[in-house]
Each structure stands twice: as structure tokens, then as C-alpha cells.
Amino acid sequence: MQLTCHHLPQNDGRCGWYDTLPSPPPAVSLKGEVKADWVVLGAGLAGLATARRLAELQPNATIALIEARRVGAGAAGRNSGFMIDLPHDLTSHDYTGDKSGDREQIRLNRGAIDYMRNIVKGHGIDCDWREQGKLHGAVEDLGQRSLETFAKGLTALDEPYRVLDAREMQAVTGTNFFQTGLHAPGAVLVQPAALVRGLARTLPENVSLYEDTPVHKIEVGKPHALVTDQGRIQAPRMVLANNAYAAQFGQLGLKGRILPVYTYGSLSQPLDSEQLAVLGGEESWGLIPANPMGTTVRRMGDGRICIRNSFTYNPDISTGAKRLAHVHAAHRRSFETRFPMLSGVELEYTWGGALCVSRNGGMPFGELAPGVFSAVCQNGLGLTRGTISGKLIAEYALGIESELLDIMLKQPKPACNPPEPFLGMGVRSTLAWKEWQAGREL
Ligand SMILES: Cc1cc2nc3c(=O)[nH]c(=O)nc-3n(C[C@H](O)[C@H](O)[C@H](O)COP(=O)(O)OP(=O)(O)OC[C@H]3O[C@@H](n4cnc5c(N)ncnc54)[C@H](O)[C@@H]3O)c2cc1C
């Protein structure tokens, strides 16, 4: 079987998380013929966790981790930095689903946070790791109702939370924009590009990381062979950790079941001391919109503000300058409605990034063909989902059993989508309708 990577990772705008870090040392890219015991495709959260876990469990094995760009330049370094422990179903109106499914999601997500915490603390990775939980903010009636349902769901799950009124929301965020809020303590906030670069820097010695190495073709066989610009790598076992880019692999049954969807972030210039005084509020916080289609906001300890909103269906897994300009204007509006007192503050960076979602929230986790394992499709929750699916796919491939792995294996497989052009029409109209419904939450 031969898989062709028609859509390779592109530069989807300047990402502030990545660009405000010091430049990384030069990349090592793949050149010539290389053999390894394992090859992992994609060094995002799932690929980094897979490679690390394989190396921990098999210290004598050779593991090659291949990344088309620099680590942190892809979605793993472009997200809003919320490591979310609670259910986060983007297709629902309040993030929750059924109770037993939600409990299992929580166990998986907390498994990821525990694993990541040990790595970050153990290696002293400087990624602004903050165990401060997340706020949910509501602006309108619909948002407030979603928040109430979310709170009821948390009560039923015995999960702690605190409801905040408008005055308390202003005390934290500095703005009087939010009518009500809810604080849930379990989420961790990070600087995502710093996190993944730190993870890459501290990989065990038996992992070879090849960056700036796009894979054009995969020959699935015994062994598998991955063909790149200047080389070729062979390994008997391969793990797909290329998330949205796996949606092009029809032969493995992924095309038509998992979908590349984009979302977008902007980072402001740092506020000066006068602007910080005018804004008020706490030094660092992260806010998720009550309506999943609304606007995520973070205030960083260095005085920058991050805005995230807008979802688009991008089947060719890239975005262009025109779309980014449109999104920049949308982010500007969202910024101004929330922070009218900061009218002179520029959004210095605007970028897009690819999520991978399925219609029913399912994942194609497991062995898709002999020696081909999959840890793709995080359904928008890659910081926790990507991490745990990477760790568990390594354990699964090595036959190591655990309760968390049983939970992962019980998750539904991604549902089949209608064919194009109906799929594209359906996804685009659903996104547009839901965004319209989000109203001022956007
Ligand atoms: C703006 C934005 C905000 C977000 N906010 C959050 C958030 O707050 N919390 C959260 O949990 N999630 C968030 N997400 C989602 C999260 O970023 C993704 O779910 C996560 O990155 C998925 O991790 P992954 O390792 O599975 O895939 P990716 O991070 O996409 O990694 C896949 C890697 O594979 C590489 N690759 C693909 N094809 C090839 C090829 N042919 N050759 C070589 N390499 C290849 C890519 O370059 C990429 O680095 C957000 C995403 C965006 C864009």
C-alpha cells in the first residue's frame, strides 16, 4: 500500500507563541538512508508523547521522530495553551456529554496532565506552567444558559467549581464585558510553543528527531518506508501522529471520517504599565467562552493578551493571507468589545492552525494496518488528548495493559461523513450557523 502526502504542513501566519521565543538551534533533517525500530510521523503533542513513551519502555530501541517543520511551528505550538481536564465537546452547546463518557474523558485528560507535569517539572521546562484552572465567561442569555447546564453537569460529576458574578469577573479580567462566569480549578495553562520545544529538547537519547523533513510518500509494508526530500527511513513499526494531515489517507479508512478544521489565534503587543493600570484585574488568567463557538481570551504574565476564535473547514489543510486578514479583523473586533479601554493596543501576530475533528468525537486509535498505529484526531483538545493518545498508543503497541488504555480503546471510532460536495456544504453551513448563534460571545 502506498500513501501520498498531497497536503504538507504550510506556514499559516506568524504565530506569536513561537516568534516571541529565542530562535532554536539549527535543525537536524533526514539525509540518506536511515533504519530504525520505530518511526513516528509528526512531532506535535501526540508524536512527542509517543516517541518519549516508546523510548522509556524500550531504552535499547531506535526511534525516529519526523517533523515537516520546526517543532512548535505546527498546531501543537499554535494553540491557546489550555490543558483541559474536564469534558470539552466542541460540538455540544455546553461542552458536556453523557455522564459516564464524561468521567472517562476526565480520567484520560488528568492522566495526560499528570504525565506532562512529571516531564515539565522533572526536566525544568520553562513554559509558564500555571496550575490555575480556567474561567468560563458568559455575555448573553444563551451563554448564561450554557454555563448553567455546564455547572449542573459538573455538580452531577462531583467536580468542583465556583460561580462568579459580573463584579467578580471584572475583578479577575479587568473588563465589565462578562455578565457571569465559572471557575473550574483543574486546567493547567502553558505557553504552548515553549512547552513543545522543551519536550523536544528533553527527549530520551534513543529518539532521533528529524525536523524540516516533510514526508512525501509512505510505503506501507515490511518494513515501512517514508520518503522525504533528501532521504528515506525504514522501520518495521510506524505510528501516525500527523493529526489533521492523516485525513488524506483514504487507504487506511481515514479520509471521509476525520476532518481538518482550522481555528485562529492573535497575540497583542505587551501592555505598558499605564495600559496595565487602566485594565486592572489579575496578572494571568485564561477564559473559555460559555458557547464553544465564542472567543477564548488569555492574559499572559508578560502583559500580552491572546484572542482565539473563528472555525473554518480547510480540506487542503492550509490557510491564505486573505483569510488571515479577515480573521485579524474579527479578532480586533472581539478585542475591542472586551477591552475598549485598550483601543491603542495592536494585535501583533495572527495565525491559523489545523485541528482534526470527527462528527461523533471518535478517534481512530489503534492498529490500522499491520505495524501501522494511529494516535490522530484529538477533536480540538490536543494538549491533553494528544498527549494521552501518544503515551497510550506506545503502550498499546508494546502490549502493556492499563485501565486508561481500556478507556481509550472503548472510545468510539470516527463516524463516516457524507461525500463531497455535501460534506463541505454541511460543515461550512453548520459552522456559520453556530457562529451566528454565538452572538456577542464571539
Ligand atoms: C488557535 C488554536 C487554539 C487551540 N487551543 C487549544 C487549547 O487551548 N487546548 C488544546 O488542548 N488544544 C487546542 N488546540 C488544538 C491543538 O493545538 C491540537 O489539537 C493539537 O496540536 C493536536 O496535536 P497533535 O500532536 O495530534 O497534532 P499536531 O500538533 O497537528 O502535530 C502533527 C504534526 O505532524 C506534522 N506533519 C504532518 N504531515 C507531515 C508530513 N507529511 N511529514 C512530516 N510531518 C508532518 C505537522 O507538521 C505537525 O507538527 C488549538 C488549536 C489552534 C490552532
Side-chain angles (χ1 to χ4, degrees):
M1 183 195 310
Q2 187 163 299
L3 309 173
T4 308
C5 303
H6 295 289
H7 302 302
L8 290 171
Q10 305 291 324
N11 183 3
D12 296 316
R14 283 181 69 212
C15 174
W17 302 125
Y18 190 92
D19 283 16
T20 52
L21 293 176
S23 299
V28 173
S29 52
L30 184 78
K31 291 199 175 79
E33 294 274 336
V34 173
K35 287 191 174 154
D37 296 315
W38 296 87
V39 61
V40 180
L41 176 61
L45 291 146
L48 287 161
T50 306
R52 180 180 295 271
R53 192 64 183 146
L54 285 171
E56 285 169 351
L57 295 169
Q58 290 207 317
N60 295 321
T62 50
I63 296 136
L65 174 60
I66 304 209
E67 171 54 47
R69 304 184 65 217
R70 297 307 306 266
V71 169
R78 294 182 158 241
N79 57 67
S80 309
F82 288 76
M83 287 203 82
I84 293 176
D85 59 331
L86 295 174
H88 195 77
D89 178 1
L90 291 175
T91 60
S92 73
H93 72 286
D94 63 357
Y95 299 104
T96 56
D98 78 276
K99 205 159 124 188
S100 78
D102 282 349
R103 280 197 207 288
E104 293 183 338
Q105 298 304 324
I106 292 172
R107 288 198 59 193
L108 289 170
N109 295 344
R110 291 196 176 142
I113 292 176
D114 290 344
Y115 187 57
M116 193 70 96
R117 181 189 295 110
N118 278 335
I119 301 168
V120 167
K121 301 289 171 201
H123 290 282
I125 295 174
D126 181 7
C127 61
D128 202 14
W129 178 274
R130 290 177 190 250
E131 305 225 4
Q132 62 184 94
K134 62 182 160 95
L135 283 173
H136 286 239
V139 195
E140 290 188 319
D141 288 353
L142 188 65
Q144 291 197 23
R145 285 203 297 278
S146 297
L147 220 50
E148 283 159 19
T149 323
F150 184 56
K152 275 192 201 140
L154 294 183
T155 304
L157 291 166
D158 263 338
E159 288 294 333
Y161 65 88
R162 187 166 73 89
V163 173
L164 287 84
D165 62 21
R167 197 180 44 80
E168 290 168 311
M169 286 298 282
Q170 183 167 7
V172 179
T173 63
T175 166
N176 61 8
F177 184 71
F178 301 102
Q179 297 311 303
T180 42
L182 179 153
H183 179 258
V188 179
L189 303 182
V190 295
Q191 205 283 31
L195 172 69
V196 286
R197 272 177 37 177
L199 292 173
R201 209 172 41 243
T202 58
L203 282 168
E205 277 186 2
N206 54 331
V207 178
S208 301
L209 169 65
Y210 299 103
E211 295 176 275
D212 283 340
T213 301
V215 170
H216 296 281
K217 203 170 68 180
I218 302 172
E219 293 153 14
V220 175
K222 287 186 178 168
H224 311 301
L226 279 65
V227 182
T228 71
D229 288 332
Q230 297 180 56
R232 181 182 160 90
I233 186 155
Q234 289 188 24
R237 283 163 300 181
M238 166 169 67
V239 179
L240 298 179
N242 54 341
N243 210 32
Y245 304 87
Q248 52 192 322
F249 295 162
Q251 297 94 320
L252 292 174
L254 299 176
K255 194 170 179 176
R257 286 180 186 266
I258 62 174
L259 291 177
V261 168
Y262 264 59
T263 188
Y264 303 84
S266 285
L267 195 63
S268 78
Q269 62 187 115
L271 307 190
D272 61 27
S273 53
E274 210 172 296
Q275 290 159 335
L276 287 171
V278 171
L279 172 62
E282 293 180 2
E283 182 213 52
S284 158
W285 47 268
L287 181 143
I288 303 261
N291 182 312
M293 298 304 282
T295 297
T296 301
V297 191
R298 272 188 75 182
R299 173 162 162 199
M300 307 304 296
D302 67 359
R304 293 181 190 264
I305 292 179
C306 174
I307 295 279
R308 191 229 36 94
N309 67 33
S310 309
F311 288 97
T312 57
Y313 173 50
N314 300 24
D316 55 358
I317 328 179
S318 67
T319 192
K322 201 167 150 198
R323 164 71 58 191
L324 286 170
H326 185 79
V327 167
H328 180 86
H331 286 182
R332 180 85 239 150
R333 282 194 298 278
S334 301
F335 185 88
E336 278 167 9
T337 49
R338 282 155 184 78
F339 306 109
M341 67 297 262
L342 300 177
S343 58
V345 175
E346 294 296 328
L347 295 179
E348 213 174 330
Y349 302 92
T350 296
W351 63 90
L355 311 178
C356 185
V357 300
S358 65
R359 202 152 52 100
N360 60 342
M363 277 186 89
F365 179 89
E367 191 169 8
L368 303 184
V372 180
F373 299 89
S374 153
V376 303
C377 195
Q378 324 306 350
N379 285 291
L381 204 59
L383 275 167
T384 40
R385 252 332 176 75
T387 300
I388 202 66
S389 59
K391 177 175 183 280
L392 292 177
I393 201 68
E395 296 176 5
Y396 174 77
L398 291 171
I400 294 171
E401 295 178 0
S402 68
E403 271 181 57
L404 279 191
L405 179 57
D406 290 343
I407 294 177
M408 189 60 120
L409 290 169
K410 264 173 45 192
Q411 300 304 300
K413 298 294 173 212
C416 203
N417 293 315
E420 295 288 6
F422 306 106
L423 174 62
M425 280 160 23
V427 177
R428 288 189 182 97
S429 55
T430 305
L431 289 175
W433 167 241
K434 287 193 167 194
E435 269 191 4
W436 181 81
Q437 276 188 318
R440 289 183 68 227
E441 309 284 344
L442 202 61

